[in-house]
Amino acid sequence: REIMELHTLGVDGGYTQQDVTEVARAFTGWTIYPISDYGGGSNQRKLLERVGVSTLEKRGFIFQDDFMFRADKHDAKEKNILGEKFNAGGGYDEGMRVLSVLSSHPSTAAFICKKIATRFVTDTPSTDLLKKMTATYISSKGDIKSILLTMVEHVDFWKSATKHDKVKSPFELVISAVRATHADVKDPFQVFNWSTKMGQRFYYYQAPTGFPDKATYWINTGSLLSRMNFGLAFATQKIPGVQLNWAQLNNNHEPESIENELTVFSAILLPERNQSENIQRLLPLVKDVNIGAKITAAAQQNTSSEMVSTDMLQMEEPKRLNARASKSQERKALSKKTRQVLEMPYTAGTNSPIAQVAGIIIGSPEFQRK
């Protein structure tokens, strides 16, 4: 089911439960070569070595690096997958044929092309763009380079309405801030903590699909406040283990005024953007000497931006608790773990005008866009 629903046909790709069962049968015997020196893996490896690879290959076994096909564990009976008949005794080649059938299926073409367009163009790609990308997928037999060229050559890719339409995930936001500022990160865990606080704890998304690639999942009032709070904490070097040199970014030239700082660092941090409109939106904020305190207070009061990370902690943390722990002990452990992640440690940092301005730019909606 995973290979069809998540990686090829898509959930509405036309397969049935019978197809799921038949595909599972086709992949019986597919496994990895045991490499462990301990336990069952060690015993299996010793048995294989004792029998000998050449002998096993004569019996239908396949060895390719860490992959192993065990002919003795394969369901050799006839199968029918997506309307195609698989004769009995196909062995390893059945699995390869399944991959070929799935990869060349029209539903796979449509599914993969929509994923690519959603990733690189817009959350809601047009029917015409998807139609042309899908046609290229089919004609090129899934050549990704050709598909990307079709996408880039389409008018939708260059429309002003879709340019910078995509919104960064928390992970992309913190990484782009580090890259744009050439920050020296001594303690990556603190950056990880901020990604968690903004709703994306690495490797903790429960569904096998991975974190969503659409703005509706990431953006709400609370998350915007947390992102602005991150921008200010990052730029003013209040995040432990993160060091910045704002003067060096501007060739050691100090802007003459707040307005000039906003103009200069907007160009540095937001190249190829509409600077004039963004500057007009941010100018009242950079002139507010209390903006940092206001944003921090608002972010602390709003819990919606922390719901995702808190929920994930609540799903994972009980697994580490002793099975005999009482409900009160569980709640206490959860509370402690949640505080450790969501209550960020701060250093004294620097509240220089340049850092404040840069923080507002990093926390602004325009910097949130890819």
Side-chain angles (χ1 to χ4, degrees):
R1 184 183 301 276
E2 299 291 314
I3 194 172
M4 289 189 286
E5 180 178 331
L6 302 181
H7 305 296
T8 53
L9 305 177
V11 67
D12 299 317
Y15 65 89
T16 66
Q17 180 58 39
Q18 182 63 26
D19 290 318
V20 173
T21 302
E22 296 290 87
V23 168
R25 291 177 58 210
F27 282 116
T28 52
W30 285 48
T31 184
I32 59 173
Y33 190 88
I35 58 175
S36 175
D37 290 328
Y38 306 96
S42 174
N43 294 333
Q44 290 182 41
R45 191 186 67 190
K46 290 176 181 177
L47 176 62
L48 292 170
E49 291 173 348
R50 186 163 61 249
V51 175
V53 170
S54 59
T55 300
L56 291 171
E57 286 179 336
K58 292 177 182 178
R59 298 177 184 176
F61 280 58
I62 302 290
F63 298 94
Q64 294 178 359
D65 298 321
D66 292 335
F67 170 80
M68 178 174 66
F69 173 73
R70 292 192 57 168
D72 61 327
K73 297 294 184 180
H74 180 67
D75 182 340
K77 296 179 181 178
E78 180 182 296
K79 305 169 185 69
N80 191 294
I81 300 172
L82 294 173
E84 294 198 21
K85 182 180 178 181
F86 286 63
N87 293 325
Y92 164 77
D93 291 335
E94 283 185 355
M96 296 302 294
R97 184 181 167 192
V98 167
L99 295 177
S100 178
V101 168
L102 291 176
S103 64
S104 60
H105 197 281
S107 293
T108 299
F111 180 72
I112 297 298
C113 288
K114 186 174 182 179
K115 296 277 282 187
I116 293 173
T118 301
R119 174 66 177 171
F120 292 106
V121 185
T122 176
D123 288 355
T124 54
S126 69
T127 302
D128 186 66
L129 172 61
L130 295 178
K131 182 178 179 180
K132 290 181 178 177
M133 290 176 66
T134 301
T136 300
Y137 182 107
I138 294 171
S139 64
S140 68
K141 297 182 179 180
D143 181 68
I144 297 299
K145 179 179 179 180
S146 299
I147 297 166
L148 290 175
L149 284 173
T150 299
M151 178 187 73
V152 172
E153 291 170 356
H154 195 277
V155 63
D156 286 3
F157 189 83
W158 301 100
K159 280 183 178 178
S160 58
T162 56
K163 193 175 183 181
H164 304 303
D165 179 61
K166 296 292 296 179
V167 172
K168 298 172 185 174
S169 68
F171 169 76
E172 291 170 328
L173 173 60
V174 296
I175 296 303
S176 64
V178 169
R179 288 178 173 176
T181 59
H182 302 287
D184 183 10
V185 180
K186 304 287 187 183
D187 185 2
F189 185 73
Q190 300 304 331
V191 177
F192 157 82
N193 269 351
W194 269 98
S195 180
T196 298
K197 183 178 177 67
M198 291 185 286
Q200 188 175 16
R201 190 179 186 188
F202 301 169
Y203 309 116
Y204 264 66
Y205 193 70
Q206 296 299 302
T209 52
F211 285 101
D213 194 25
K214 293 188 176 182
T216 52
Y217 184 81
W218 299 116
I219 299 300
N220 55 53
T221 303
S223 66
L224 287 174
L225 284 170
S226 279
R227 287 169 177 241
M228 179 64 83
N229 200 21
F230 161 75
L232 287 169
F234 178 84
T236 56
Q237 301 185 67
K238 292 182 179 179
I239 301 177
V242 177
Q243 297 178 1
L244 299 163
N245 189 331
W246 291 114
Q248 190 175 44
L249 272 181
N250 192 34
N251 296 319
N252 293 311
H253 294 159
E254 186 173 347
E256 298 175 355
S257 64
I258 290 289
E259 291 84 352
N260 190 230
E261 288 174 355
L262 181 58
T263 301
V264 168
F265 282 96
S266 289
I268 292 173
L269 299 175
L270 292 169
E272 301 181 11
R273 304 295 177 95
N274 189 326
Q275 304 294 349
S276 59
E277 289 185 8
N278 196 49
I279 288 171
Q280 289 302 312
R281 284 194 293 265
L282 299 183
L283 194 55
L285 297 179
V286 300
K287 288 184 175 181
D288 187 344
V289 294
N290 297 316
I291 188 64
K294 291 178 180 178
I295 292 172
T296 299
Q300 289 174 346
Q301 291 174 4
N302 193 301
T303 59
S304 62
S305 62
E306 298 174 351
M307 288 178 64
V308 176
S309 51
T310 304
D311 288 345
M312 288 188 290
L313 286 171
Q314 290 173 341
M315 284 187 284
E316 292 296 322
E317 188 61 20
K319 298 176 184 178
R320 302 187 183 96
L321 298 175
N322 189 292
R324 298 179 181 177
S326 66
K327 291 295 182 182
S328 61
Q329 288 175 315
E330 288 186 11
R331 285 194 295 270
K332 184 177 179 180
L334 283 171
S335 176
K336 180 180 179 181
K337 184 66 176 179
T338 301
R339 287 198 306 272
Q340 288 176 344
V341 175
L342 298 181
E343 294 180 4
M344 299 292 103
Y346 289 91
T347 61
T350 173
N351 287 318
S352 69
I354 291 178
Q356 290 278 359
V357 169
I360 290 171
I361 295 171
I362 292 172
S364 70
E366 193 63 27
F367 193 84
Q368 312 304 313
R369 300 182 182 278
K370 296 183 182 179

